[in-house]
Amino acid sequence: MKNQNGYVDSFRRLIQCPTISDSGHEYFEAFHKTLQEEFPHAFAACEKISLGRDVLLLKWKGKASDRPVVLMAHQDVVPAEGGDWECDPFSATVIGDKIYGRGTIDCKNTLFCTIQAVDELIESGFTPEQDIYLSYSDCEENSGPGAEMARDWFKEHGVRPNVVIDEGGAIIKKAEKYMAKDAAMVGILEKGYADVRIIARGKGGHSSQPPKNTPLARLGAFVNYVEKHSVFKPKMSAPAKAMVLGLADVLKPGLKGLAKLAGHMGCLTAYLAPRLNVHYGAPMFKSTVVFTMCDGATAPNVIPQEAWVNANVRVSPVDSVEKCVAKLAKIAKKFDCEVQLGNHREASPMADLTGDGYTQFAAAIKKTYPDVEVVPYYMFGGTDCRTMQEIATTAIRCTPCRLSIEQLGGMHAANENIDVSSLGETVSFFKNFLESYK
Ligand SMILES: [Zn+2]
């Protein structure tokens, strides 16, 4: 069995494989070879299910198959160009008590800790009560089909997972000023998503004789209007309330009462929070919109006949894609613009906090980390988990790995890093979960 140093060496080897999304099959092939060397027991005992691409799906046969567990992660990472890296992002350099590198927290830590836990349990002769699957997509970061390929296999084979666990929340180390304890942020749902193209048309023409109200001017006015006004109304939702009340349990005594009150004063909290804090308050209590792409004429001296901007909308569970698009369309009309709905999906269903999937997950956190409080976490971004959620009873988005707020800032950024000590803790968590899962 590996000790702490063994974990570090093994984890570093995974980081040293530059599995950037769509970088090429050879990189993923080399990664798979490394996995087989590092986790020989898992690969010997599990059935390897071929799905195509470089997607990895491993099945560890349990005593029963009616309530299986799927542990998800992704093999691919985002590029690491630019930024102020202190070391080569694929060297997995250890500096002090931290390992630096692309993928250390998004999310080769999840992949390492899940397969390491399985490898150790197999080595010790343990047989799980239920079938356990390890499902690792090769293309999560660019919204590729990996997770769908795995979901389709489950569907075709009539396997209905009872619990699916994927990346998402983490254990946030306490900010001394506000928090009395570390908080395990357990993702219970994710917001919906919609790309809405706002299109303005005109007659075009030569830029030397410009008319008024050209397409880009109307789009500019529209964008300004939407940014200045609160287009989507704030509302308290069940996951936001669960999170605020959960956070109350980790805050220092003075703030605890305030958070409890905020959780129970639905409308007022939802109204005030986005005004007090745009970064967290707005996404937690309302649907949000931001403009991300645009295009106009094909040459600098041409007035466009058509120009567009993309509005990226994150849909609150108390709104719907349809409602949000209708709202934007109404405003767009005032500026003589049209809307066109692109990629979209509704918010995912919320995990049942009293269901056995969530409670068993929370119990394993308590067992592994007695000092940590479990907090339901309302996720603003998206994960592969939503794909598997379609066929699962409970979907949980969390890797219980201790990270500071500063470390979370390294996700998709320079100097992504993880604490050496967190690897062993998270492996223990997954072992505890799998050993006690019924
Ligand atoms: Zn990720």
Side-chain angles (χ1 to χ4, degrees):
M1 290 237 182
K2 289 170 191 159
N3 57 16
Q4 168 100 321
N5 289 339
Y7 286 158
V8 174
D9 292 344
S10 183
F11 182 65
R12 289 186 63 217
R13 288 195 66 201
L14 307 198
I15 299 299
Q16 284 161 353
C17 295
T19 48
I20 298 165
S21 323
D22 276 340
S23 54
H25 170 64
E26 64 272 28
Y27 294 100
F28 287 87
E29 202 176 24
F31 184 60
H32 292 182
K33 196 171 156 266
T34 306
L35 292 179
Q36 280 168 35
E37 287 164 10
E38 291 299 327
F39 312 104
H41 309 288
F43 277 90
C46 296
E47 177 192 348
K48 195 173 160 209
I49 297 162
S50 295
L51 298 176
R53 288 188 58 106
D54 291 302
V55 179
L56 259 183
L57 181 61
L58 298 174
K59 177 184 177 181
W60 180 20
K61 187 97 194 74
K63 292 178 196 160
S65 305
D66 55 320
R67 291 159 45 77
V69 173
V70 182
L71 302 177
M72 296 174 72
H74 54 88
Q75 307 169 51
D76 60 321
V77 297
V78 293
E81 286 143 15
D84 221 355
W85 281 90
E86 286 186 23
C87 46
D88 175 347
F90 295 105
S91 63
T93 304
V94 180
I95 304 175
D97 58 356
K98 295 180 167 54
I99 307 165
Y100 283 74
R102 176 58 82 229
T104 47
I105 61 169
D106 183 13
C107 65
K108 282 186 176 160
N109 58 328
T110 311
L111 193 152
F112 171 83
C113 294
T114 47
I115 196 167
Q116 178 63 36
V118 167
D119 195 78
E120 284 183 26
L121 289 174
I122 291 171
E123 191 182 3
S124 71
F126 176 76
T127 305
E129 288 300 314
Q130 291 282 337
D131 292 347
I132 309 294
Y133 293 86
L134 297 174
S135 180
Y136 303 143
S137 165
D138 63 336
C139 50
E140 190 269 354
E141 293 290 4
N142 55 0
S143 306
E148 276 131 45
M149 290 159 79
R151 176 207 55 202
D152 292 347
W153 182 90
F154 283 99
K155 272 180 156 176
E156 276 161 32
H157 291 78
V159 179
R160 190 177 150 75
N162 185 48
V163 191
V164 175
I165 300 166
D166 196 4
E167 62 169 339
I171 298 177
I172 309 301
K173 291 189 213 170
K174 66 179 172 194
E176 293 291 344
K177 220 170 144 189
Y178 312 105
M179 294 162 72
K181 286 176 175 182
D182 291 359
M185 306 303 292
V186 179
I188 51 170
L189 108 165
E190 60 187 69
K191 283 180 104 168
Y193 179 106
D195 282 317
V196 184
R197 186 172 276 206
I198 319 295
I199 305 161
R201 297 181 213 277
K203 288 202 169 71
H206 199 286
S207 61
S208 60
Q209 292 170 287
K212 291 279 181 215
N213 232 3
T214 53
L216 282 171
R218 275 152 37 219
L219 282 177
F222 171 84
V223 167
N224 265 312
Y225 180 93
V226 170
E227 269 221 12
K228 266 197 200 124
H229 295 79
S230 183
V231 172
F232 304 120
K233 292 284 157 271
K235 267 179 240 157
M236 181 63 96
S237 61
K241 183 175 177 176
M243 181 162 156
V244 173
L245 291 176
L247 280 172
D249 294 332
V250 300
L251 292 174
K252 291 217 157 155
L255 296 165
K256 200 187 262 290
L258 203 64
K260 286 255 187 253
L261 196 66
H264 291 298
M265 296 202 316
C267 298
L268 187 63
T269 304
Y271 175 80
L272 288 176
R275 286 168 168 77
L276 296 173
N277 186 315
V278 174
H279 202 58
Y280 292 105
M284 179 114 109
F285 297 105
K286 55 194 252 188
S287 300
T288 58
V289 54
V290 66
F291 297 95
T292 53
M293 296 167 77
C294 60
D295 200 8
T298 48
N301 58 351
V302 171
I303 301 169
Q305 289 193 350
E306 184 182 309
W308 58 265
V309 294
N310 183 69
N312 183 258
V313 182
R314 302 299 175 123
V315 184
S316 145
V318 286
D319 271 338
S320 67
V321 171
E322 195 188 346
K323 267 199 220 165
C324 291
V325 175
K327 196 77 207 266
L328 290 176
K330 201 173 156 197
I331 301 167
K333 211 171 161 197
K334 285 191 205 163
F335 297 92
D336 195 16
C337 299
E338 296 162 28
V339 301
Q340 206 175 69
L341 178 60
N343 266 341
H344 64 278
R345 57 176 184 264
E346 302 293 348
S348 73
M350 176 174 150
D352 176 3
L353 303 186
T354 58
D356 80 282
Y358 184 84
T359 51
Q360 291 197 55
F361 187 86
I365 290 184
K366 277 301 205 188
K367 186 177 176 195
T368 319
Y369 302 94
D371 60 317
V372 165
E373 199 64 48
V374 177
V375 178
Y377 171 42
Y378 173 10
M379 281 186 61
F380 310 146
T383 68
D384 261 352
C385 196
R386 65 175 172 272
T387 309
M388 209 63 90
Q389 179 158 23
E390 293 168 26
I391 54 164
T393 310
T394 302
I396 289 169
R397 298 157 167 88
C398 176
T399 302
C401 162
R402 275 190 226 257
L403 296 171
S404 64
I405 304 264
E406 199 184 16
Q407 282 173 314
L408 279 169
M411 206 172 274
H412 292 205
N415 296 317
E416 185 179 349
N417 72 84
I418 193 167
D419 291 3
V420 163
S421 60
S422 75
L423 293 175
E425 283 186 325
T426 313
V427 171
S428 294
F429 164 80
F430 281 110
K431 284 173 73 178
N432 285 335
F433 176 77
L434 294 172
E435 277 178 322
S436 59
Y437 181 78
K438 290 195 271 289

